[in-house]
Amino acid sequence: MLVQEFEGRTRPALRRILNATGVILHTNLGRAPLAPAALKNLEQVATGYSNLEFDLSCGQRGKRDVFANRLLTELLGCEQALVVNNCAAALFLGLNTLAEGGEVLISRGELIEIGDSFRIPDILRKSSAILKEVGTTNRTRLSDYTQDINDRTRLILRVHPSNFRMVGFCSRPSLEELLQLGKDTGIPLLEDLGSGCLLDLASFGIKDEPNPRVSLQMGVPLVCFSGDKLLGGPQAGILAGRSTLIQQMRINPLFRALRVDKLTISVLEATLISYLKHRESEEIPLARMVHESVEQIGQRAEQILAQLVAPDSMSISLVDGLSVIGGGSAPDHGIPSRLIALRSPHIIRIEGELRQGDPPLIARVENDSLLLDLRTILPEDDLLVTQALRRCLDPGHAGSLGFDPANRS
Ligand SMILES: *Cc1c(COP(=O)(O)O)cnc(C)c1O
């Protein structure tokens, strides 16, 4: 008992878990799992010293923001890029740098809430920019922007409606129209892309996840997006676009408060290199998860099933179902998958046992079924899933691990 208590106290509270929810980018579960190549780079950089702010070519003090900058400009085809703590920070820095004390035009249809405590109007207010709502919730025309432009207008903000979709009687100006308006008036456009997807998702029927490369190519002066959503890298916010704009952000004192550390830079650089080498499908776990076929997932599920014996009170089978991308991306698209379904009158207790196991296994409960989607389990972890399921299907075995099932709430 004492040993167990000591182990409990001396174990990190942030732990690795098995995500069988089928939600690929689960913000509650740490978003994107990182690539082994990225972690190798992290280990090399972090266990020793690094040239974080040291220019090896001249032996003088260097700048930390040059690293990912070179890779990002090459990958995205833009003049400059800057990395901060997350996309919320990127948007905040962009607004504060370009629009402090001035007005920012944004469609009423884009005044969104992304998740816990991230609301566009709140970020705008805190950045000391003045929100100027244009249009209506469902329809905003170009003329709505035009008529509200005055000498206090500093920025046009366009936000990707990440985690919801509007259907029916709705419209907003095209990106081209807003770019033309920007050109005609000299007011820059900042596009908050959210996910910033560089993967090809069109073959999965997902066509509305914007690609930063495309936006920049079309001439958007400044975009921002997350590092740990569909890019599949570490938590980071990436600003990319024109030199003149990025340079202003570099010298904003706020940048110092929002900048990233060597751990983030090392993982982000390695992630970007996978894309540059066109090896993202093999190397980035998120890309592998999105691409894995139903047949492959079904085979893995069958192998697990073959090693389980269900007690009389329970049935286990394979059923068709859907995985989702999550993380505020493609909310209306499921990716077909094959799920392990446990049916039992005690499904809530079983869910709790799996969740509190070691390692914790998180599954979905739907009606009286517990559903496990292997799309979000790394194939090398299938054995851990099998072991976790066996422990909870066989209470005798659970007892031998020191747990008393009757004693748990
Ligand atoms: C997710 C999201 C953000 C916030 O990104 P974080 O990296 O979590 O800070 C901002 N804007 C949009 C449009 C998003 O989808």
Side-chain angles (χ1 to χ4, degrees):
M1 213 46 224
L2 259 176
V3 172
Q4 261 177 32
E5 199 217 18
F6 181 74
E7 278 176 358
R9 274 194 292 121
T10 53
R11 185 167 62 189
L14 180 62
R15 299 163 64 192
R16 159 200 150 89
I17 59 126
L18 300 167
N19 171 15
T21 64
V23 182
I24 299 176
L25 286 171
H26 203 308
T27 299
N28 302 157
L29 305 183
R31 289 200 187 155
L34 300 173
L39 292 178
K40 215 166 117 197
N41 196 37
L42 168 72
E43 193 188 346
Q44 296 221 334
V45 168
T47 52
Y49 295 98
S50 65
N51 58 334
L52 183 64
E53 293 189 358
F54 185 69
D55 187 336
L56 292 171
S57 62
C58 63
Q60 304 284 315
R61 193 198 159 116
K63 288 215 167 270
R64 71 171 67 196
D65 43 285
V66 296
F67 297 101
N69 180 53
R70 181 179 61 77
L71 295 168
L72 281 166
T73 52
E74 193 175 337
L75 191 63
L76 302 175
C78 60
E79 290 174 5
Q80 275 202 57
L82 194 63
V83 182
V84 289
N85 191 42
N86 55 18
C87 186
L91 182 62
F92 184 60
L93 182 62
L95 291 169
N96 178 266
T97 308
L98 303 177
E100 188 177 16
E103 292 180 0
V104 176
L105 299 186
I106 177 169
S107 161
R108 290 197 165 88
E110 298 173 10
L111 288 171
I112 60 174
E113 174 173 317
I114 302 294
D116 211 20
S117 73
F118 181 89
R119 298 174 133 196
I120 298 287
D122 296 343
I123 295 265
L124 242 146
R125 196 170 336 104
K126 285 290 178 190
S127 74
S128 305
I130 298 155
L131 170 67
K132 192 81 190 168
E133 303 173 24
V134 303
T136 64
T137 303
N138 55 325
R139 302 200 85 185
T140 302
R141 301 185 180 83
L142 189 64
S143 58
D144 294 322
Y145 288 87
T146 318
Q147 73 191 25
D148 271 328
I149 289 182
N150 58 51
D151 55 8
R152 295 181 302 277
T153 313
R154 296 280 183 287
L155 192 71
I156 302 168
L157 178 63
R158 183 166 167 108
V159 181
H160 180 57
S162 305
N163 47 9
F164 74 103
R165 293 290 177 265
M166 268 200 257
V167 293
F169 192 57
C170 54
S171 65
R172 60 175 189 166
S174 68
L175 195 52
E176 287 91 341
E177 285 176 307
L178 282 187
L179 283 169
Q180 191 56 47
L181 179 64
K183 263 192 205 131
D184 294 345
T185 56
I187 297 168
L189 173 71
L190 167 54
E191 192 182 16
D192 178 2
L193 297 166
S195 235
C197 180
L198 295 176
L199 301 169
D200 174 23
L201 295 183
S203 51
F204 300 91
I206 298 168
K207 299 196 174 77
D208 51 359
E209 273 309 318
N211 184 322
R213 211 184 283 147
V214 173
S215 284
L216 291 161
Q217 218 164 41
M218 284 172 66
V220 176
L222 189 65
V223 301
C224 63
F225 57 96
S226 287
D228 58 351
K229 290 188 181 170
L230 283 169
L231 193 71
Q235 179 188 306
I238 293 158
L239 282 150
R242 300 228 179 103
S243 289
T244 47
L245 302 180
I246 299 282
Q247 205 48 39
Q248 288 178 57
M249 282 170 230
R250 282 211 162 92
I251 59 175
N252 185 336
L254 261 181
F255 172 55
R256 178 65 168 74
L258 304 174
R259 74 181 187 185
V260 291
D261 70 342
K262 61 188 176 186
L263 309 183
T264 300
I265 294 173
S266 67
V267 175
L268 182 62
E269 283 210 311
T271 307
L272 297 172
I273 287 168
S274 291
Y275 281 97
L276 270 180
K277 290 180 169 169
H278 301 290
R279 292 193 48 78
E280 66 273 16
S281 299
E282 296 85 41
E283 291 181 0
I284 297 181
L286 175 121
R288 275 206 319 253
M289 287 176 184
V290 173
H291 292 144
E292 186 164 9
S293 71
V294 173
E295 291 75 27
Q296 275 170 311
I297 292 173
Q299 272 171 20
R300 290 169 54 198
E302 264 166 35
Q303 273 167 17
I304 290 179
L305 216 62
Q307 297 173 68
L308 301 176
V309 183
D312 292 341
S313 61
M314 195 186 289
S315 79
I316 314 182
S317 59
L318 294 189
V319 297
D320 289 329
L322 294 173
S323 319
V324 294
I325 296 214
S329 311
D332 48 359
H333 273 284
I335 307 174
S337 188
R338 196 95 174 116
L339 318 178
I340 299 175
L342 271 68
R343 275 185 210 89
S344 152
H346 311 295
I347 219 65
I348 299 298
R349 180 177 56 81
I350 294 169
E351 184 276 334
E353 275 178 30
L354 289 170
R355 173 163 39 79
Q356 291 173 71
D358 187 16
L361 172 62
I362 314 296
R364 264 191 268 168
V365 175
E366 270 174 29
N367 303 323
D368 58 349
S369 295
L370 188 79
L371 301 174
L372 290 93
D373 188 343
L374 297 178
R375 184 180 296 283
T376 45
I377 297 285
L378 301 171
E380 57 268 34
D381 288 342
D382 283 0
L383 180 64
L384 291 174
V385 173
T386 310
Q387 287 168 345
L389 288 173
R390 284 173 92 156
R391 277 198 298 273
C392 94
L393 297 185
D394 177 2
H397 192 66
S400 72
L401 287 174
F403 295 123
D404 178 7
N407 212 1
R408 276 199 274 167
S409 51

